[in-house]
């Protein structure tokens, strides 16, 4: 294959990790000149970023509103710069609030250049109309979940192929050999959700009074805040952080009390039984209220493993349902060896494994899909 010019844009750290792996896989298959936006992993793979990733890596409704003027300016600058680069393909990775606006502008400037969207927007969870709206400016979606190609086909979205989830592949190595001997608490990775969930999780432990040692997995940058919030807890858990801390925490866990999010995928991959809870920020509470009048939320569960297997085997509690009493009642049986609740989740993890597994690495499958698209053009 001739040498290629590829523009690639990641809008946050998780996208940077995906982008770095994809760039390495593509570089094994073709000679490539890179251009775009990314972080450390993509820079290590050969990208000279247009501007630092942290200028656009914002999460949550409230944060986006606060940074909106800067984001709009960077959207315009990025689309213009990518068009001037003249790529053979544009790859946008997650961060739809930023990347899809760049893609729309780029499509108007260079309509013949294919656009690949790595990580499908959660059209299966809310605002399903986004799938059909993507068709004019996205030629191929690389999906992390096996149910997403069918969802895009049903909703009239772009062509979509399942390439596998890298977190699933990595976390499979953390599976325990036995029942585990600790209770793992995961209060989230963002400051707001930590503030909302730490008091709740402390109340759960006060009611449960677990006999097992308790460990808490903390995001390093929020460790000081977590330690301050622990003052109200009835016990002092061991705090772990970082990659090695996660490995140790997952391998020793008998069960977990976790914030909703990607960590539920990680726990399912590592086969750790869990109870999941979440408290919304102000912006998403308004979305929830709007949903009562105009349904815009369509996800059957906030636990990714439940969606993959098509049933709610892992208990999840949102907003008013997330009470200390309800969470303690769901978590207690998971701490007992060979309880029916543990058996139920073990069966769910079997189904999850069968659905998520892929033969090649996700990055290799994604690279092959990109090059197949280019060869068809």
């Amino acid at each position: 294959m001739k040498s290629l010019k590829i523009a690639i844009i990641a809008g946050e750290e998780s996208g940077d990790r995906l982008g770095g792996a994809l760039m390495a896989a593509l570089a094994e298959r073709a000679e490539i000149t890179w251009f775009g936006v990314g972080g450390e992993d993509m820079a290590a793979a050969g990208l000279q970023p247009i501007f630092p990733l942290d200028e656009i890596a914002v999460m949550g409704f409230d944060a986006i509103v606060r940074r909106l003027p800067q984001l709009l300016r960077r959207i315009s600058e990025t689309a213009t710069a990518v068009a001037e680069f003249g790529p053979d393909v544009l790859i946008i990775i997650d961060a739809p609030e930023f990347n899809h606006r760049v893609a729309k502008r780029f499509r108007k400037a260079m309509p013949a250049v294919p656009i690949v969207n790595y990580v499908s927007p959660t059209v299966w969870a809310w605002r399903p109309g986004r799938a059909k709206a993507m068709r004019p400016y996205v030629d191929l979606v690389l999906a992390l979940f096996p149910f997403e190609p069918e969802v895009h086909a049903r909703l009239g979205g772009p062509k979509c192929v399942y390439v596998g989830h890298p977190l699933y592949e990595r976390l499979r190595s953390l599976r325990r050999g036995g029942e585990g001997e600790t209770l793992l608490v995961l209060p989230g990775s963002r400051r707001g959700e930590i503030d909302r969930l730490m008091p709740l999780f402390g109340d759960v432990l006060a009611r449960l009074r677990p006999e097992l040692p308790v460990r808490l997995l903390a995001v390093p940058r929020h460790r000081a805040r977590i330690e301050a919030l622990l003052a109200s807890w009835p016990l002092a858990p061991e705090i772990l952080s970082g990659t090695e801390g996660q490995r140790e925490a997952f391998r020793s866990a008998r069960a977990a009390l976790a914030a909703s999010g990607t960590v539920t995928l990680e726990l399912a991959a590592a086969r750790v039984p869990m109870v999941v809870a979440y408290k919304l920020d102000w912006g998403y509470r308004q979305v929830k209220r709007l949903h009562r009048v105009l349904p815009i939320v369509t996800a059957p569960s906030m636990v990714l493993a439940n969606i993959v297997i098509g049933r709610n085997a892992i208990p999840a509690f949102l907003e008013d349902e997330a009470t200390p009493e309800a969470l303690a009642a769901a978590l207690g049986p998971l701490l007992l060896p060979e309880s029916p609740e543990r058996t139920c989740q073990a069966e769910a993890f079997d189904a999850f494994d069968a659905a998520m597994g892929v033969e090649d690495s996700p990055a290799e499958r994604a690279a092959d899909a990109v090059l197949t698209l280019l060869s068809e053009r």
Side-chain angles (χ1 to χ4, degrees):
M1 178 178 286
K2 69 179 181 68
S3 61
L4 298 171
K5 297 173 68 177
I6 296 181
I8 184 167
I9 304 169
E12 54 198 46
E13 291 180 5
S14 60
D16 174 58
R17 291 190 291 272
L18 289 172
L22 174 58
M23 289 173 65
L26 283 166
E28 292 177 353
R29 292 158 168 77
E31 180 180 341
I32 300 171
T33 302
W34 302 102
F35 186 82
V37 181
E40 293 181 1
D41 283 26
M42 291 168 67
L47 181 72
Q48 295 292 329
I50 305 171
F51 50 79
L53 178 62
D54 59 11
E55 290 192 17
I56 60 172
V58 295
M59 297 294 293
F61 183 86
D62 297 349
I64 291 171
V65 171
R66 289 194 302 271
R67 300 270 298 273
L68 188 58
Q70 179 186 11
L71 290 171
L72 292 175
R73 183 175 68 253
R74 284 305 194 189
I75 287 168
S76 178
E77 293 171 353
T78 302
T80 299
V82 170
E84 291 175 351
F85 173 64
D88 295 295
V89 60
L90 167 62
I91 302 172
I92 56 174
I93 306 175
D94 209 357
E97 293 85 0
F98 182 87
N99 274 331
H100 285 238
R101 287 170 173 80
V102 171
K104 289 176 185 178
R105 292 176 181 238
F106 176 77
R107 174 53 51 94
K108 290 180 180 179
M110 302 192 73
V113 176
I115 298 175
V116 176
N117 179 193
Y118 194 2
V119 184
S120 170
T122 55
V123 295
W124 39 268
W126 73 302
R127 293 172 54 204
R130 290 179 295 166
K132 189 173 183 179
M134 290 167 59
R135 289 194 65 173
Y137 62 91
V138 171
D139 300 283
L140 177 66
V141 177
L142 306 178
L144 302 190
F145 295 104
F147 58 82
E148 291 178 315
E150 184 278 328
V151 170
H152 276 278
R154 173 166 47 84
L155 296 176
K159 179 182 178 182
C160 179
V161 298
Y162 172 55
V163 298
H165 202 303
L167 277 179
Y168 168 78
E169 295 297 322
R170 178 170 63 84
L171 270 295
R172 293 173 71 185
S173 66
L174 302 188
R175 292 176 176 174
R176 306 168 322 287
E179 288 283 341
E181 65 278 357
T182 65
L183 169 58
L184 178 59
V185 179
L186 303 111
S189 60
R190 302 169 193 159
R191 171 68 180 263
E193 62 191 12
I194 290 168
D195 286 346
R196 294 189 294 273
L197 289 174
M198 282 287 290
L200 171 63
F201 286 1
D203 288 344
V204 173
L205 296 178
R207 283 162 173 76
L208 199 59
R209 295 291 177 180
E211 296 180 0
L212 297 177
V214 177
R215 284 178 159 174
L216 186 149
L217 190 60
V219 175
R221 66 180 179 274
H222 296 313
R223 181 162 180 154
R225 179 58 180 166
I226 288 172
E227 290 175 344
L229 291 168
L230 283 173
S232 65
W233 278 31
L235 50 80
E238 179 185 1
I239 301 177
L240 301 176
S241 60
T243 301
E244 288 306 312
Q246 183 189 45
R247 290 180 181 277
E248 174 60 24
F250 277 46
R251 285 182 176 142
S252 68
R254 180 177 296 180
L257 175 60
S260 174
T262 304
V263 73
T264 65
L265 171 74
E266 297 174 320
L267 290 168
R271 300 183 69 91
V272 178
M274 73 191 91
V275 171
V276 180
Y278 205 74
K279 296 283 188 178
L280 301 169
D281 66 15
W282 180 88
Y284 286 110
R285 284 199 303 273
Q286 308 317 304
V287 171
K288 187 173 184 289
R289 291 191 181 100
L290 178 62
H291 176 67
R292 297 172 186 171
V293 179
L294 178 66
I296 54 176
V297 180
T298 58
S301 173
M302 63 179 178
V303 180
L304 291 167
N306 284 344
I307 300 173
V308 170
I309 66 175
R311 64 180 188 273
N312 290 331
I314 297 168
F317 303 86
L318 176 65
E319 284 293 280
D320 295 341
E321 297 175 352
T323 65
E325 296 81 6
L327 294 174
L331 184 59
L334 296 180
L335 303 180
L336 304 175
E338 300 182 0
S339 67
E341 290 81 0
R342 289 184 64 83
T343 299
C344 176
Q345 293 206 26
E347 293 171 351
F349 297 149
D350 289 340
F352 181 73
D353 283 342
M356 292 290 293
V358 294
E359 292 184 4
D360 300 324
S361 77
E364 290 172 339
R365 288 172 62 92
D368 289 340
V370 170
L371 295 180
T372 297
L373 175 65
L374 285 173
S375 68
E376 292 172 351
R377 293 298 181 102

